[in-house]
Amino acid sequence: MDRIVVGVDGSEPSIEALRWAAVEGQRWDALVEAAIVVTYPVTPVGVLGPMIETAELEANAAAILDGSLRVAFPADPMRSRIHRDVLVGGPAEALCHHAKGADLLVVGSRGRGGFRGLLLGSVSNQCAQHAPCPVVIIRSTHAPSEV
């Protein structure tokens, strides 16, 4: 195994997926790429260009990714071994595209969005169906908090 891609969105399941991928990456001496996806807001007239700076959205996503790495590995040098990627597009589509050539795609079972009560989130479900490589879906060990 040479390359593992893991989808991160800051949610607890994605952080658990990040931890799992890091352990597997170490076990197989594989490159681990933590990827977060930026989806630009769309209105009936198109993408919100001048209202929301794309660089700001990407910087916020990078901050979420870095924060997730700090939560996953608070004092662990493993953090520095993980490559970081900020992707643009729909989450499942971008992750599947980024996983081309990877040996494994790892995602959490539930992310930040979606509907409560579903066994799998829409992104993990789409990745399981469309990824170009095997997919591991990590279920959270914590019950989701009520909103």
Side-chain angles (χ1 to χ4, degrees):
M1 189 170 307
D2 295 320
R3 182 172 163 247
I4 299 171
V5 173
V6 57
V8 179
D9 67 0
S11 66
E12 183 60 35
S14 77
I15 291 170
E16 290 184 27
L18 180 58
R19 289 181 184 122
W20 189 92
V23 169
E24 288 302 302
Q26 193 169 29
R27 176 178 294 150
W28 295 99
D29 194 29
L31 171 67
V32 176
E33 297 179 7
I36 190 164
V37 181
V38 175
T39 302
Y40 296 129
V42 177
T43 66
V45 294
V47 176
L48 295 175
M51 292 176 65
I52 298 175
E53 288 292 326
T54 57
E56 183 180 343
L57 289 172
E58 291 176 19
N60 289 341
I64 291 169
L65 183 55
D66 287 340
S68 297
L69 285 162
R70 282 191 301 277
V71 169
F73 313 107
D76 191 329
M78 189 175 295
R79 210 171 34 211
S80 64
R81 296 185 212 145
I82 297 174
H83 183 74
R84 296 158 179 83
D85 293 303
V86 176
L87 312 176
V88 176
E93 182 182 7
L95 287 171
C96 288
H97 180 74
H98 192 66
K100 288 181 181 171
D103 297 291
L104 198 60
L105 172 60
V106 183
V107 293
S109 61
R110 302 285 310 139
R112 290 195 171 273
F115 301 97
R116 291 198 188 282
L118 292 177
L119 181 60
L120 292 177
S122 60
V123 173
S124 58
N125 190 19
Q126 289 176 38
C127 287
Q129 293 180 41
H130 302 291
C133 61
V135 177
V136 172
I137 300 171
I138 303 297
R139 291 196 58 181
S140 177
T141 57
H142 300 92
S145 60
E146 293 300 318
V147 177

